[in-house]
Amino acid sequence: MALLIETGLTGWISDLEIAQEIRKRIPDADVRTPDTIGEASDITMLALVGLQADHPSRLPNLKLVQKLGAGVETIVGNPNLPDHVRITRLKPDAPAQGIAEWFLAYILRQHRHIGFYEDAQKRAEWSPKAPGSTPDTVVGVLGLGHIGARTANMLRAVGFQVMGWSRSPKSLDGVNCVHGDDALPGLLSQCDHVCAILPSTPQTVGLFGERALSMMKPGSQLLNAGRGDLIDEIALISALDRGVPGHAVLDVTSQEPLPASSPLWTHPSVTITPHISGWHLGDALSDVAENFQRLSSGAPLLHEVDRARGY
Ligand code: NDP
């Protein structure tokens, strides 16, 4: 049984560094990288960021795909992945904290008019403007899972009124939790800021089209750190031109990297960050090592994905 690390990424942690981290935790583990792959039929577990079309055929004895992150849509949606191959993801604290901070930072940016004062300073202009009132500001969090629940709790602790939305009923202290498609319009119509941290599934792709966008409060802010395909970007630009919502902050876009030709870059009501909201992996590699051991011993896996549900 061997574990293959194959992220195909540069500029992040390398395959070799990940393999070394796993070996620190399980010194006798058979951990390989594309350079040391050896006999492909030995590979039972594959740790990756995105599944390649030929992975299932290249690795005939694959039993587990471990996503080195959270979003599993490219793995779940791969028609070549045999049904018996299981999928696990990571749920580390560090990126959840980072994403919650990203939401908070961009909410406070608008709430405290930070961009306005930066511009005013360039003109040496002394222009007082009333900040938002925190207890009167309603923030919605779409998705109350590992990251969304943390975001909702952080925003509540700061003093905002927080509403949360999920597929199934949830209960979070001090958060007005609603669930199901019928509850979304009511939430959108009340929120000054809407933070989306949803997985990409057939139910969420394109959810923010013309209809949902028009249900938002005029002048409100839409922030998305889940997946770019949640939002119909053409509909978003028209909606922003009408001021409903008033601003969008996007850490994820339908195409990444966002092409230089995208009108989102230059739209005055759009702020882009390059998929950096959840940067740090924290101690997540311990769970990869743990899953390799659990796969070998037949124990229940950590953070297994429900392939039918899609997340
Ligand atoms: P979880 O699986 O823990 O939570 C997902 C949440 O979304 C759950 O509360 C779930 O509801 C809810 N949800 C799913 N489908 C629907 C639906 N149709 N209607 C309403 N609610 C729905 O995921 P995480 O919180 O860990 O991560 C969420 C997503 O964030 C990931 O899938 C990934 O795409 C993205 N992500 C982005 C990162 C970045 O750097 N920008 C980094 C990490 C993740 P229920 O509780 O009822 O199941």
Side-chain angles (χ1 to χ4, degrees):
M1 299 188 86
L3 163 61
L4 174 65
I5 316 284
E6 190 172 303
T7 65
L9 291 182
T10 51
W12 196 52
I13 182 169
S14 72
D15 292 347
L16 196 59
E17 286 167 320
I18 296 172
Q20 283 164 349
E21 287 299 318
I22 305 291
R23 284 194 202 101
K24 271 188 212 160
R25 291 159 175 89
I26 337 173
D28 57 349
D30 184 353
V31 186
R32 305 183 190 179
T33 58
D35 295 338
T36 60
I37 187 165
E39 192 54 61
S41 58
D42 296 342
I43 309 295
T44 49
M45 176 170 165
L46 170 65
L48 47 57
V49 172
L51 190 72
Q52 292 163 14
D54 65 344
H55 267 141
S57 57
R58 273 205 285 133
L59 306 172
N61 291 326
L62 190 62
K63 293 188 169 56
L64 173 61
V65 177
Q66 168 75 59
K67 166 80 190 221
L68 294 169
V72 291
E73 66 278 4
T74 62
I75 307 169
V76 173
N78 186 309
N80 300 325
L81 193 68
D83 290 346
H84 69 267
V85 177
R86 299 161 78 184
I87 302 170
T88 47
R89 53 160 289 188
L90 297 175
K91 287 197 179 185
D93 282 342
Q97 171 75 14
I99 293 170
E101 287 170 3
W102 180 90
F103 282 122
L104 178 61
Y106 283 95
I107 289 171
L108 289 178
R109 186 171 203 276
Q110 196 184 76
H111 194 64
R112 299 301 311 214
H113 308 310
I114 290 173
F116 172 83
Y117 290 119
E118 282 171 354
D119 288 346
Q121 183 173 351
K122 285 181 199 140
R123 299 188 297 272
E125 201 174 277
W126 187 268
S127 306
K129 183 174 171 175
S133 156
T134 307
D136 297 322
T137 299
V138 185
V139 183
V141 180
L142 310 184
L144 292 175
H146 177 59
I147 304 167
R150 195 168 184 129
T151 301
N153 287 333
M154 185 185 284
L155 294 168
R156 182 189 47 81
V158 172
F160 292 109
Q161 288 182 48
V162 182
M163 297 186 75
W165 184 66
S166 52
R167 210 172 60 116
S168 56
K170 289 273 168 315
S171 166
L172 284 177
D173 240 14
V175 177
N176 179 4
C177 295
V178 297
H179 66 278
D181 293 347
D182 294 347
L184 187 60
L187 179 147
L188 294 179
S189 66
Q190 294 177 62
C191 290
D192 301 291
H193 303 267
V194 172
C195 304
I197 185 70
L198 290 160
S200 171
T201 70
Q203 289 73 41
T204 62
V205 171
L207 185 66
F208 274 76
E210 199 181 330
R211 192 160 161 272
L213 289 164
S214 71
M215 291 168 182
M216 294 185 69
K217 240 174 124 168
S220 61
Q221 178 164 255
L222 174 62
L223 306 96
N224 187 20
R227 281 293 178 263
D229 58 17
L230 178 78
I231 298 176
D232 173 341
E233 290 167 354
I234 293 170
L236 176 65
I237 286 172
S238 308
L240 290 167
D241 288 342
R242 288 192 296 274
V244 186
H247 198 91
V249 189
L250 310 174
D251 186 49
V252 286
T253 50
S254 57
Q255 199 184 334
E256 295 183 11
L258 184 64
S261 58
S262 169
L264 291 172
W265 282 117
T266 49
H267 197 286
S269 304
V270 177
T271 301
I272 305 283
T273 60
H275 205 138
I276 44 71
S277 58
W279 185 273
H280 298 289
L281 260 183
D283 60 356
L285 294 179
S286 298
D287 287 357
V288 178
E290 178 70 28
N291 267 345
F292 187 49
Q293 287 179 309
R294 288 181 180 218
L295 183 69
S296 311
S297 68
L301 300 172
L302 296 175
H303 317 310
E304 183 158 7
V305 169
D306 179 337
R307 283 189 64 171
R309 197 179 61 165
Y311 66 97

